[in-house]
Amino acid sequence: MSARDDERLYHEQGVTLPETPPPSTDPPPWRETLTVGKRRSRVDGYERLSGAAIYPSDMQLPGMLHAAFLRCPHPHAKLTSLDTRAARALPGVHAVIDDTTPEAAIDWNYQGGEGGRLFAGHCRFEGAPVAAVAAETPHIAREAVEAIVAEWEVLPHVSDARDADAEDAPRIRDGGNRIGEPSIYTRGDVAQGFAEADAVVERDFHTACELHTPLELHGCVAAWDGLDLTIWESTQGCFRVQEQVAGYLDLPLSRVRVVGHYMGGGFGSKLETGKYAVVAALLARRTGRPVKLVLTREETMLVCGNRPANSMHMKVGVRKDGTLTAIELTGRGSGGFWRGGTGLVDWLAKDLYACPNVRTELTSWATNAGNQRPFRAPGHPQGSWALEQVLDELAGTIGIDPVELRLRNVPGESQARGGVPYSSTGLAECLRDGAREFGWEEARRRTRESREAWLARGGNGGAPHRLRGVGVGGCVWVAGGGGPPATVLVRMYADGSVTLNMGAADIGTGTRTVMASIVAEELGVRLETIQVENADTGTTAFSGPSGGSKTVPTDGPATRDATVALKQQLLAWASEQLDTPRENLRYAGEFIEVRGRDQRLKVTDVERLQRRRSVVGVGHRGPNQEGLAICPFAAHFCEVEVDTLTGEVRVLRFLGAQDSGRVMSRKTFDSQVYGGIAMGIGFGLTEERVLDRGQTGKLCNKSWHDYKLPTAMDVPADLVSLPIELQDDRCNNIGAKGLGEPVTIPTASAIANAIHDACGVWIDDTPASPPRVLAALRRQRDRKEARR
Amino acid sequence: MRDRDDSDASRRNFLKTVGLGSAALASAGAGQGRAELAAVEPEKLQKILLSINGRQLSVLVEARWTLLFVLREQLGLTGTKVGCERGECGACTVLLDGVPRYACLTLAVEAVGHEVTTLEGLLDGEDLGPVQRAFVENDAYQCGYCTPGQVMAAEGLLRENPAPDLEQIRVGVSGNLCRCGAYANIFRAVADAAKLRRGGGA
Ligand code: FES
Ligand code: FES
């Protein structure tokens, strides 16, 4: 690939473009597409692979200083004294700020207006910052932090939601350790439902706290230019950072520019900014120098969010024919000291499978640990872990295939929303086509035989000790429909070349490529020639942060709108120039054609375009259709191998069948599916934040050495992405729903079900680590022996 | 390994002040058996000659600075990324005499006398090299932040073993974390890159 590939603007072959609708009418849905949905390489591939892409952590400015934080080493403590003299005296140190620094006396808001001051001395979690330093090099900054003498009064702490309401639990919060009232949902009558059931299964589950740990560290570079502040930040939403920083520093939005052209992953942890952005700005103002403040990996593990641990009791009833009669879920969790820790844990119980009687009750507890942040499909993988396993257990009890049981309970509407119809629902297709593509029935026969033979031998280690199993899980994602606001600009220059200008970040999901594909589709230009400018509050129009799988269904329709507006403008000018009614003209890429006549005008020969030198189309994201739930669906299938001697689980293959409406870009679509599966494998098998519960309460595994991400050795090469591409003309003008989150919801639960299919044991808690699997196998053996 | 007898860094002092992450711990292995080094201030700048991507560069460094820090913050070669500074993620992978190496666990002074290759060094003029092209073609990345390290690990693997099988590819990139989970496509990209390098495709 060459740096300046091929500069041809138009496709070699004449192509038929979508009709341009008259002004202020919606463009009709695409049918055949030329660029959208095709296997095309990313438009920013060259930048990302050559090293030309400048990520925020790569930023360098002349005279730039490096900053570092002093953080509380205890889960709960009060700062009793702070002596910064030695730090200030170190050569190369330019500033030390703490709670006594006038401009740092800022009230922080972690949740609901609560959070204490920026450098609050009463620290509610390990890692809460109490001072910051700016120095010539990062080495000096760290040395200066170490030279600060801090004294602490260590206070009693709670580190686990399961301990928060114990008799002897320390009271860490005024008004009690519980955060808010329990959230309760009911529909129908669960007691009645369970009475009508032929089989009821109930179990306790626990899912471990998961850390986002994107590869690029959290952090930013801040620089002042007179009254104007610029921040380069690794973020999922530069406009969100802009609003937060402007709010804390009491600046007009127009004076805060946030740039996030590239960013190295976020998964929800970079939807908001952290104290680092505000502190970098304060230090930069104080020193008159640009300041870089990038956290260390250890710091990000303490303070940059997590998926809360959840304890769940799940009870489900079913009739012999496979129809569900009742679902009851009670759960608890903690999102740290300020934030709830159970959001959306019950969504699947309420919405995924048809069931008239549902009750859920969730309670959040305060703990002395880092705040949660939204983590890829908040609440969903946790709820899925419990619900999907119980469904499989029920399927076994009543003797129905697990896929079939799910198919019998596909809902026709969104039950949790009181019966609102979905714009489209591909749950049944995901299950059915997925099972076929995966070879489900054949695999189930094979695994049943090997399991039964093994159990007949007593379920002991003896050869063969490696058993295979297959598992399935289904899901819906609560959001994924997108919505206003978002504004996108598409500009054509006098030579016909095109730029796309949008506020949305490309967090690795391929946003630039998807949006450029939309422009290419409508204008008939080649994808590679479109220049994309994005994620810069100074040069692009507003878009919210990329989260909730909203970017494609939000900015996509706005991009199409903008491109259509551009075409309409050019058609209006051509109609003037040719003295032909606009409806007789057709926008056909390089040319504007006159219908029914052998006459055409080169787009670049439109006189008004030549005089103005450029033309801009502006597109806005309008509201979604009322009375519709716009949600993506999925089903995951996997095959695992369980080593019954070591308890090790190897994932051999995975298939993700995803209904996200139209596939916008096939390569990036598949990559998201693979990535979601890899992340789900981590959630299910390896990842667990370990706090020193009952002892010091400190984080024990604040490194990637001890906090285990899936590596190249853990993720199968045999991954299949199966798009279930239903035509959805109601969700928005591009027919696409979100994808980034449903790809990781039923992954871990499919693995748990596959483990059971392999060797007959259920795994109640994540991660399904070797000791846990071995313990379950041992219990199974003991039960068998007791029965003998 | 360069002979460190003439180095003026005291090991004890050096370990105390190496500063960033756990570079100190990890580099302890590098100077093993040389406990009798003379003491100096670790902050003192010294001039060293580095050979990076075929160019000789004379740089002023502190003894405690890692190669990663010098590449990124002193020389502006930000193709090499930083994920942990403690040898856990591989984002900082470069080649030292053609062999993959974590730049965060390598001191700049250790690189003296060795040929350092970074992502930028795989470009052919402005054009992407075969491994880079194969990564684009196979969409072997999402956010792209682990990607330079993956590419360098793959490059190192292919220099040693021009036709690796799947298991060898897995092992070759197993020191490089990808939180976006692009592994399956990385495997495909490395296999394709092997073909490209052998001249088996365009
Ligand atoms: S930065 Fe060197 S291994 Fe992570
Ligand atoms: S591509 Fe994002 S971490 Fe690998």
Side-chain angles (χ1 to χ4, degrees), chain A residues 215 264, chain B residues 141-147 150 177-182:
Chain A
L215 253 282
Chain B
Y141 57 101
Q142 285 207 281
C143 75
Y145 201 81
C146 74
T147 313
Q150 307 276 4
L177 294 176
C178 176
R179 188 46 153 167
C180 295

Side-chain angles (χ1 to χ4, degrees), chain A residues 778-788:
Chain A
R778 206 172 304 120
R779 282 196 301 274
Q780 170 168 272
R781 208 164 50 230
D782 292 349
R783 272 199 307 274
K784 280 214 157 49
E785 273 161 17
R787 242 179 276 147
R788 234 174 248 157

Side-chain angles (χ1 to χ4, degrees), chain A residues 1 42 46 48-49 55 57-58 60 142-143 211-212 292 297-298 667 671 675 687 704 710 712, chain B residues 20 64 72-73 81 83 86 88 126-127 132-133 137 139 141-143 145 170 179-180 183:
Chain A
M1 178 169 315
R42 289 174 200 247
Y46 178 85
R48 292 196 199 258
L49 264 300
Y55 291 73
S57 56
D58 299 334
Q60 301 216 28
R142 301 275 158 70
E143 274 172 357
L211 300 172
H212 305 74
K292 184 176 206 167
R297 181 53 59 191
E298 293 79 353
K667 281 190 185 179
S671 285
E687 294 181 42
W704 273 325
Chain B
L20 290 181
R64 60 180 172 175
R72 284 174 58 81
E73 303 286 341
K81 301 301 183 197
R86 47 187 291 160
E88 292 167 350
E126 290 283 288
D127 296 346
Q132 293 160 311
R133 268 184 289 157
E137 202 40 48
D139 207 47
Y141 57 101
Q142 285 207 281
C143 75
Y145 201 81
R170 274 175 186 275
R179 188 46 153 167
C180 295
Y183 298 119

Side-chain angles (χ1 to χ4, degrees), chain A residues 507-548:
Chain A
I507 60 176
T509 50
T511 305
R512 282 198 194 88
T513 306
V514 166
M515 303 307 160
S517 300
I518 295 172
V519 177
E521 189 71 43
E522 287 289 334
L523 292 179
V525 298
R526 290 170 62 248
L527 176 62
E528 297 75 13
T529 66
I530 295 165
Q531 284 299 314
V532 185
E533 160 85 19
N534 75 314
D536 180 339
T537 66
T539 60
T540 65
F542 183 89
S543 178
S546 288

Side-chain angles (χ1 to χ4, degrees), chain A residues 492-770:
Chain A
M492 183 182 284
Y493 290 104
D495 66 352
S497 61
V498 181
T499 68
L500 162 65
N501 177 291
M502 62 174 175
D506 188 331
I507 60 176
T509 50
T511 305
R512 282 198 194 88
T513 306
V514 166
M515 303 307 160
S517 300
I518 295 172
V519 177
E521 189 71 43
E522 287 289 334
L523 292 179
V525 298
R526 290 170 62 248
L527 176 62
E528 297 75 13
T529 66
I530 295 165
Q531 284 299 314
V532 185
E533 160 85 19
N534 75 314
D536 180 339
T537 66
T539 60
T540 65
F542 183 89
S543 178
S546 288
S549 305
K550 55 73 85 166
T551 308
V552 162
T554 296
D555 299 84
T559 301
R560 186 166 187 210
D561 205 35
T563 318
V564 167
L566 178 80
K567 295 202 290 185
Q568 286 166 339
Q569 180 64 76
L570 286 164
L571 287 175
W573 288 342
S575 141
E576 243 172 60
Q577 186 174 334
L578 300 174
D579 200 15
T580 310
R582 192 201 154 287
E583 50 284 7
N584 286 357
L585 300 178
R586 198 185 136 71
Y587 195 96
E590 193 171 359
F591 299 96
I592 290 169
E593 297 170 351
V594 184
R595 287 180 213 271
R597 252 195 279 159
D598 190 20
Q599 187 191 356
R600 59 186 197 175
L601 173 69
K602 247 186 150 178
V603 168
T604 47
D605 288 340
V606 172
E607 283 161 8
R608 294 275 289 266
L609 173 62
Q610 285 308 320
R611 278 206 301 278
R612 289 201 186 173
R613 309 306 294 156
S614 73
V615 53
V616 176
V618 181
H620 301 285
R621 178 61 159 93
N624 289 323
Q625 255 188 58
E626 273 186 39
L628 273 186
I630 304 167
C631 301
F633 295 84
H636 282 189
F637 297 81
C638 70
E639 179 158 0
V640 306
E641 184 180 76
V642 181
D643 187 322
T644 56
L645 292 181
T646 64
E648 226 169 328
V649 177
R650 263 201 330 138
V651 182
L652 301 175
R653 63 187 180 114
F654 235 106
L655 178 142
Q658 307 283 151
D659 159 30
S660 287
R662 183 189 300 280
V663 173
M664 296 302 295
S665 160
R666 184 61 199 268
K667 281 190 185 179
T668 64
F669 183 99
D670 291 350
S671 285
Q672 290 225 63
V673 175
Y674 302 154
I677 290 171
M679 194 168 260
I681 290 174
F683 180 69
L685 293 180
T686 61
E687 294 181 42
E688 175 173 26
R689 179 186 77 175
V690 180
L691 296 174
D692 191 16
R693 183 181 176 193
Q695 303 285 326
T696 63
K698 295 196 297 171
L699 178 55
C700 300
N701 53 347
K702 52 183 174 186
S703 71
W704 273 325
H705 182 84
D706 297 319
Y707 181 91
K708 301 289 189 193
L709 297 193
T711 72
M713 308 305 284
D714 306 307
V715 176
D718 186 355
L719 292 181
V720 178
S721 155
L722 179 71
I724 302 296
E725 205 172 358
L726 302 181
Q727 177 93 20
D728 185 342
D729 294 342
R730 297 193 291 175
C731 63
N732 54 55
N733 70 22
I734 58 170
K737 305 185 280 189
L739 176 67
E741 281 155 303
V743 292
T744 203
I745 294 171
T747 316
S749 43
I751 294 173
N753 288 339
I755 294 172
H756 179 265
D757 186 54
C759 58
V761 300
W762 294 112
I763 308 294
D764 301 327
D765 301 352
T766 72
S769 57

Side-chain angles (χ1 to χ4, degrees), chain B residues 68 82-85 87-92 102 104:
Chain B
L68 176 63
V82 48
C84 67
E85 292 181 285
E88 292 167 350
C89 71
C92 62
Y102 290 165
C104 71

